[in-house]
Amino acid sequence: EIKVSGRHIEVTPAIREYASEKALKLPRYFDRIQEIDVVLDHGDHNQHSVEIIADVEHVDPFIARASGLDLYACIDEAIDKMERQLTDHKQKLRNRKHNV
């Protein structure tokens, strides 16, 4: 399940669709994701920030943040960070099995 919400910002259908489309690719990196929250925020001086929270079973949630002037670029950056976290976690799980 993917939830897109906004703080101090109107989430347009285009932004919602873009964020959802990007977030849908995350289970490709780790298949035990139960829920993905995308929180968009509009701060001072046209600064946007994006926070992605992925609830994964048996682990604390993974959180990726990005901020900048372009909201779409922030979404991309946060998705990249989340992909990296999920990939690293998957590698750690795989390697643990071989070290026994």
Side-chain angles (χ1 to χ4, degrees):
E1 184 189 0
I2 296 171
K3 288 193 289 190
V4 180
S5 57
R7 264 188 244 138
H8 312 113
I9 188 173
E10 176 74 30
V11 180
T12 65
I15 292 171
R16 183 179 306 278
E17 186 178 323
Y18 185 80
S20 297
E21 196 177 293
K22 292 288 183 175
L24 274 173
K25 295 177 181 173
L26 291 175
R28 202 185 292 170
Y29 298 94
F30 193 67
D31 54 0
R32 293 196 197 135
I33 297 175
Q34 295 171 321
E35 184 180 55
I36 299 170
D37 283 329
V38 181
V39 182
L40 311 170
D41 192 2
H42 182 75
D44 301 332
H45 313 296
N46 282 338
Q47 195 79 353
H48 297 284
S49 66
V50 176
E51 185 177 63
I52 299 175
I53 304 161
D55 279 329
V56 179
E57 57 184 55
H58 308 306
V59 198
D60 288 337
F62 290 104
I63 300 171
R65 294 183 181 94
S67 58
L69 296 174
D70 181 9
L71 185 60
Y72 290 96
C74 291
I75 292 170
D76 289 343
E77 188 182 336
I79 289 285
D80 289 345
K81 288 179 179 181
M82 183 59 72
E83 287 172 5
R84 178 67 191 264
Q85 286 183 42
L86 294 171
T87 308
D88 288 351
H89 181 67
K90 190 173 183 177
Q91 286 300 122
K92 212 162 69 174
L93 286 181
R94 278 201 179 138
N95 291 339
R96 191 184 318 160
K97 292 176 184 168
H98 298 296
N99 292 338
V100 176

